[in-house]
Amino acid sequence: MKARVHVMLKNGVLDPQGEAVRHALGSLGFDGVGGVRQGKIIELDLADGTTEDTVKEMCEKLLANTVIESYQIEMA
Amino acid sequence: MKAAVLVFPGSNCDRDMKVALEQAGADVTMVWHKDAELPKGLDLVAVPGGFSFGDYLRCGAIAAQSPVCKGLVEHANRGGYVLGVCNGFQVLTETGLLPGALMRNAGLKFISRVVPLRVTTSASAFTEGYNAGDVINIPVAHHDGNYYADADTLARLQGEDRIAFTYETPINGAVADIAGILSDNRRVLGMMPHPERAVDEGHGGTDGQALFRGLIGQLASA
């Protein structure tokens, strides 16, 4: 089984990389991009029967820094 | 006075740290990250700068989970002294020994130059060799030194006089221009600038000496 973890900077935490991407899109002529937030996706190959709670523990302990980041888990 | 310097794969300021501590009179042991136990009787553990584990995932995140960091946290919880510089500061926030987090520099560039720092408090073993308000010149070399703390944490740091150093002019977007902070027992210091790179005339400046001399002087007499 697999799980996919989306890690994003929390709302309210300035994302300078996203802001640089927004500028670059503007200079390529893509008008109307109001904001860009950049995050990461972490795919996990897991032993069958691994629970979402275990993945949540992985996020809390390592995969996300919950001071600045939020995460979402997709079990598949 | 016994000190240990932690070494992770990718640490690159570990030997500079050892030299700076020894120059100030410490007896220094290097400790590899896989060692689950620190040497007995340590007064100080230093977490050096560099790019531990290639900065993978987040700066300091993997190092913070390494076996030696269990010993580091126990040392700090027993009231031991800890100095984290640059990547070491990132490791300390990732272990939770210090609040907040270090993010990518607001200007996105790696910054490597000597910057003026204001010593915000002299009330710690690390900063007692300075006067509060002193401006000292210390090199910075980082890509992720943009200190972030939420409003409550920032208010607590300010209210408890736990901001050790601030940048005289903003360089990396850090909240309140914070360059270094202390733990609530004032025995853990994390800072982005490199005092160990300013302890010898050959470095171009010696403003970091007072940190090591003050710290080791105080621990040796304790």
Side-chain angles (χ1 to χ4, degrees):
Chain A
M1 64 182 294
K2 285 181 188 291
R4 185 176 278 195
V5 176
H6 301 249
V7 180
M8 291 295 292
L9 285 175
K10 283 181 177 170
N11 286 333
V13 176
L14 191 73
D15 176 6
Q17 294 181 97
E19 194 53 22
V21 172
R22 188 183 67 81
H23 273 287
L25 288 172
S27 58
L28 284 170
F30 293 103
D31 296 328
V33 181
V36 176
R37 308 276 291 168
Q38 184 180 313
K40 52 192 151 195
I41 295 177
I42 302 168
E43 287 186 341
L44 306 166
D45 276 322
L46 298 167
D48 286 342
T50 308
T51 63
E52 185 164 341
D53 279 350
T54 304
V55 179
K56 188 165 182 232
E57 205 182 329
M58 294 178 194
C59 292
E60 292 286 333
K61 283 192 172 163
L62 181 65
L63 300 180
N65 178 345
T66 54
V67 174
I68 46 172
E69 293 170 331
S70 61
Y71 60 86
Q72 276 186 317
I73 299 166
E74 258 178 68
M75 302 295 283
Chain B
M1 185 278 186
K2 286 177 70 174
V5 176
L6 306 188
V7 185
F8 302 99
S11 294
N12 64 10
C13 302
D14 44 330
R15 283 171 289 175
D16 302 53
M17 182 65 85
K18 179 175 195 269
V19 169
L21 290 166
E22 283 177 345
Q23 229 180 50
D27 174 16
V28 181
T29 311
M30 309 297 274
V31 181
W32 182 237
H33 70 109
K34 286 193 171 163
D35 294 354
E37 287 190 20
L38 292 170
K40 297 270 178 268
L42 286 177
D43 301 293
L44 170 74
V45 178
V47 191
F51 299 85
S52 58
F53 297 91
D55 280 350
Y56 295 161
L57 191 63
R58 293 179 308 277
C59 302
I62 312 275
Q65 304 303 326
S66 63
V68 79
C69 279
K70 276 208 178 90
L72 169 72
V73 171
E74 285 165 13
H75 168 82
N77 288 340
R78 280 194 303 267
Y81 284 80
V82 179
L83 169 63
V85 169
C86 200
N87 188 221
F89 185 11
Q90 295 161 342
V91 172
L92 294 181
T93 60
E94 285 283 347
T95 58
L97 287 175
L98 290 173
L102 291 142
M103 300 178 42
R104 182 52 46 102
N105 293 341
L108 299 176
K109 290 194 173 127
F110 190 98
I111 305 167
S112 178
R113 58 185 155 93
V114 177
V115 299
L117 295 182
R118 185 165 296 266
V119 181
T120 319
T121 179
S122 61
S124 78
F126 303 94
T127 54
E128 61 149 25
Y130 304 102
N131 295 312
D134 280 356
V135 174
I136 59 175
N137 291 308
I138 304 285
V140 296
H142 61 245
H143 209 167
D144 297 80
N146 176 355
Y147 181 74
Y148 172 84
D150 61 30
D152 289 348
T153 306
L154 179 63
R156 204 168 67 239
L157 290 174
Q158 287 168 330
E160 296 172 358
D161 190 30
R162 285 168 54 190
I163 300 170
F165 302 102
T166 53
Y167 302 109
E168 268 296 87
T169 47
I171 62 165
N172 56 19
V175 61
D177 296 323
I178 287 174
I181 56 167
L182 295 158
S183 59
D184 53 3
N185 71 358
R186 313 188 81 75
R187 292 183 174 199
V188 180
L189 170 69
M191 62 189 292
M192 288 312 297
H194 287 273
E196 80 283 6
R197 294 191 191 175
V199 296
D200 187 287
E201 289 297 344
H203 288 155
T206 56
D207 285 357
Q209 264 177 0
L211 186 152
F212 293 100
R213 286 183 182 167
L215 174 64
I216 282 142
Q218 190 165 94
L219 295 193
S221 64

